[in-house]
Amino acid sequence: MTKLIAIVNVIAWAGFWAFGYLALTVEGFSEAQMVTASLLAAAGLITGILAYLRLARVAELSGYASKTNQLDAGQRNRAQQEGSI
């Protein structure tokens, strides 16, 4: 499943850059073509971000990446009571 998400991530970012480039630089497109390229670029951006975040979560849960330095609820409450946050 992780490999599938990684493939989706690469394709989404490639679509974002390709269609974003087309939307911004190509002259002579009709307005409908510009809107379509912009929507495809936006879809690539959103999909790429979501896939990247999913991959980061999977890597953290598997131990491949180090855990984030977030406090659990007890530590957070104790720190807030002490005034250190």
Side-chain angles (χ1 to χ4, degrees):
M1 189 66 170
T2 305
K3 288 182 182 183
L4 178 64
I5 295 171
I7 292 169
V8 167
N9 189 23
V10 169
I11 292 171
W13 283 113
F16 165 71
W17 287 109
F19 289 111
Y21 177 78
L22 285 176
L24 293 175
T25 61
V26 176
E27 296 177 13
F29 269 10
S30 69
E31 188 173 333
Q33 290 172 324
M34 293 284 284
V35 170
T36 302
S38 298
L39 289 175
L40 288 171
L45 175 68
I46 292 168
T47 306
I49 289 172
L50 292 175
Y52 177 78
L53 292 174
R54 179 71 177 197
L55 285 173
R57 181 184 301 159
V58 168
E60 190 176 282
L61 291 175
S62 70
Y64 185 72
S66 61
K67 298 274 186 198
T68 59
N69 292 330
Q70 293 181 346
L71 301 174
D72 65 0
Q75 291 174 335
R76 185 175 55 247
N77 290 335
R78 187 173 60 250
Q80 287 177 346
Q81 288 173 353
E82 293 174 2
S84 62
I85 291 185

